[in-house]
Amino acid sequence: MNRLYKRFIAYYRKREELLLNKGISGQLRSNGGYILLIVLIISAFLVSFTSDFFYRTGIYISYIKKTRANLACEYLCVSGFEIAKTILDVDRLGLGTSFLTNLNNDRNVDCYRDIWALDFPPIPIEDATLKIMIEDENSKLNINAAISAYAPTTKYYGIMQRFFINMGLPMDLADAVIDWIDPDDTRFPYGAESSDYYQNLKPAYMAKNNPADSIDELLLVKGFTPEIYYGLGGGNSGLEKNLVDHNMGDVVIPDYKREEITGTGEEHSEDEAELPEIGREKDRRLSSYFRVYGDWMNYPDESSKININTASYRLLMSLSNDISEDTVAEIIKKRQLMPFRSVNEIKSFTGQDNTVNSILTVKSSIFKITIVSENIHGKFKSIYYYDRNSKKILYYSGIH
């Protein structure tokens, strides 16, 4: 043991002397330690390089997965659009009751009891889901139709004015809309044209002076703030009472309610026959009440007419100065029980001599189709504006 200790001390003294005389580099050269140092340097470099390599590779793999998932969702939405078109064709042929009883099977009538109006649950497809939503655009007012003739003589112009008044907004907004879409540079009394308004803005721009291509263009029109357009405030927002989510009613009408309409069957109590609450809709977004699609040049073309079976409470209130809130409630109550089959039935509510009847209809041709596809790695939303009669896509947008 003592011998081993002496050898260790001698070895230690020798290394100490070498370190003092030649420094650390000399010591390394003398005992091969430099090899270890080089190995450590190379190892550190390799660790750094491989770490960056694997990090970047992970990012690329994640990106590829995301891109592949988004692409799969996008193509799935294309399939969803074909399903939506089939649903609209089923309704056009009056075959809705083949899939669900108590749906409307009159091919000449569109209402919230049609198969397209159902709230379809998400469809599971392998590792993804597909949600299809169809909305009737004929339930809205086509602002472009207001310039198909001299604006004040069209019913659409007056409806716009009354709509803004009912929303607590200035009726002057209707003039601004007309000036935006009409082809001339003559300003309406309370409107705005390029020379007297839009060119004085910063940044300056020109009035469209053509039919609007998107309802979003209202954000460029004088007086339409994002707050008003998106229904976040302005006017009588927050002051209205007894608001409802919608006035679509129940999709499936129980038999006893149908018996009450036809006058057959047993009588039922008021509680049993109670319908959903009717009132102004909570939604104040202008895109829920206005549209830009439809044949505006032929006045009044069927595609630009308003379907009284699907029109909102707010729009029905704006049809005429002679229509009261009680009348609107009666119209909605009636169509929830049994949809209007012809415009002649509407006259009992709006009046025989009411000229607004000429722009009303009971059938729809233009629909907004929203499709959302989602899986664990991606999501895609597509929006189509589709003319069922001509089978044309009027507008398309898609976003991941």
Side-chain angles (χ1 to χ4, degrees):
M1 185 70 179
N2 188 38
R3 184 179 177 183
L4 182 62
Y5 175 75
K6 288 181 179 181
R7 287 182 63 185
F8 175 77
I9 294 298
Y11 177 73
Y12 176 79
R13 297 300 181 190
K14 182 179 178 181
R15 292 186 62 185
E16 183 182 24
E17 182 181 357
L18 185 62
L19 182 62
L20 291 173
N21 293 334
K22 297 185 178 181
I24 188 170
S25 61
Q27 182 186 10
L28 290 174
R29 286 195 300 271
S30 66
N31 61 12
Y34 69 93
I35 296 176
L36 178 61
L37 181 61
I38 292 174
V39 170
L40 290 175
I41 293 173
I42 294 174
S43 298
F45 172 76
L46 289 175
V47 169
S48 175
F49 175 77
T50 55
S51 297
D52 181 69
F53 172 78
F54 285 118
Y55 174 74
R56 290 177 179 273
T57 302
I59 292 177
Y60 293 150
I61 291 174
S62 298
Y63 177 76
I64 291 172
K65 285 183 178 179
K66 182 74 172 177
T67 302
R68 181 179 178 182
N70 285 338
L71 190 60
C73 288
E74 185 172 350
Y75 279 105
L76 193 57
C77 281
V78 174
S79 300
F81 176 59
E82 295 300 320
I83 296 174
K85 288 197 299 182
T86 301
I87 293 171
L88 289 172
D89 280 339
V90 167
D91 174 67
R92 180 178 60 84
L93 297 172
L95 301 176
T97 51
S98 301
F99 298 86
L100 186 64
T101 58
N102 289 334
L103 288 181
N104 171 49
N105 62 354
D106 190 338
R107 58 191 301 177
N108 296 314
V109 172
D110 283 294
C111 63
Y112 288 123
R113 289 177 56 194
D114 286 356
I115 188 171
W116 59 260
L118 293 174
D119 183 13
F120 297 99
I123 305 171
I125 301 177
E126 293 184 352
D127 61 342
T129 58
L130 185 67
K131 175 70 175 176
I132 300 173
M133 295 162 282
I134 303 177
E135 181 181 352
D136 180 17
E137 284 293 290
N138 279 93
S139 67
K140 306 174 186 179
L141 174 73
N142 183 5
I143 61 173
N144 287 333
I147 61 169
S148 56
Y150 181 58
T153 66
T154 69
K155 305 307 170 187
Y156 300 97
Y157 175 69
I159 293 173
M160 265 197 289
Q161 288 181 313
R162 287 185 289 273
F163 179 87
F164 291 130
I165 291 175
N166 292 335
M167 294 280 280
L169 299 169
M171 64 183 294
D172 304 347
L173 291 175
D175 285 13
V177 173
I178 297 297
D179 280 340
W180 179 260
I181 60 178
D182 67 11
D184 59 54
D185 290 317
T186 303
R187 184 173 66 86
F188 260 61
Y190 303 101
E193 289 289 355
S194 300
S195 58
D196 63 13
Y197 181 75
Y198 297 109
Q199 284 293 291
N200 297 322
L201 299 176
K202 293 183 180 180
Y205 53 91
M206 302 289 289
K208 181 72 175 288
N209 287 345
N210 270 302
D213 296 310
S214 169
I215 199 64
D216 293 344
E217 287 182 29
L218 289 180
L219 288 167
L220 299 173
V221 178
K222 176 185 177 183
F224 288 88
T225 63
E227 182 183 39
I228 291 175
Y229 178 78
Y230 292 109
L232 302 176
N236 54 19
S237 177
L239 302 177
E240 297 176 302
K241 306 297 183 181
N242 302 320
L243 301 180
V244 301
D245 291 327
H246 59 78
N247 290 288
M248 299 179 184
D250 294 327
V251 174
V252 181
I253 306 298
D255 289 337
Y256 71 80
K257 291 183 181 178
R258 291 191 301 165
E259 291 168 356
E260 290 171 359
I261 297 297
T262 59
T264 61
E266 300 179 359
E267 294 185 359
H268 298 269
S269 66
E270 291 185 6
D271 292 338
E272 194 176 21
E274 185 178 358
L275 291 171
E277 187 177 355
I278 296 172
R280 297 172 189 262
E281 295 84 6
K282 295 178 182 177
D283 189 0
R284 291 177 61 92
R285 293 173 298 173
L286 297 186
S287 59
S288 298
Y289 305 100
F290 294 153
R291 61 180 167 115
V292 298
Y293 300 109
D295 186 356
W296 59 271
M297 296 185 67
N298 299 316
Y299 177 83
D301 186 79
E302 190 73 18
S303 63
S304 287
K305 290 183 178 181
I306 300 169
N307 188 341
I308 201 166
N309 284 322
T310 56
S312 63
Y313 186 104
R314 294 184 182 277
L315 195 55
L316 292 172
M317 269 293 298
S318 307
L319 290 179
S320 168
N321 288 324
D322 300 326
I323 297 180
S324 65
E325 293 196 35
D326 290 338
T327 301
V328 172
E330 285 298 317
I331 291 173
I332 294 175
K333 181 180 179 181
K334 194 273 178 186
R335 78 184 190 190
Q336 285 180 353
L337 293 171
M338 186 68 71
F340 291 94
R341 301 292 177 183
S342 71
V343 177
N344 290 330
E345 296 180 43
I346 300 172
K347 293 178 181 179
S348 62
F349 295 94
T350 61
Q352 294 289 336
D353 300 326
N354 199 324
T355 55
V356 75
N357 295 329
S358 64
I359 64 168
L360 300 180
T361 184
V362 295
K363 189 167 179 59
S364 301
S365 59
I366 300 176
F367 297 86
K368 177 183 178 182
I369 301 172
T370 304
I371 304 168
V372 180
S373 174
E374 188 171 4
N375 58 34
I376 191 172
H377 294 294
K379 182 177 182 180
F380 191 80
K381 178 180 181 180
S382 58
I383 297 176
Y384 297 84
Y385 287 89
Y386 178 70
D387 188 331
R388 179 172 59 179
N389 292 345
S390 65
K391 298 187 181 300
K392 289 183 178 179
I393 298 174
L394 306 176
Y395 174 83
Y396 165 78
S397 68
I399 184 172
H400 287 288

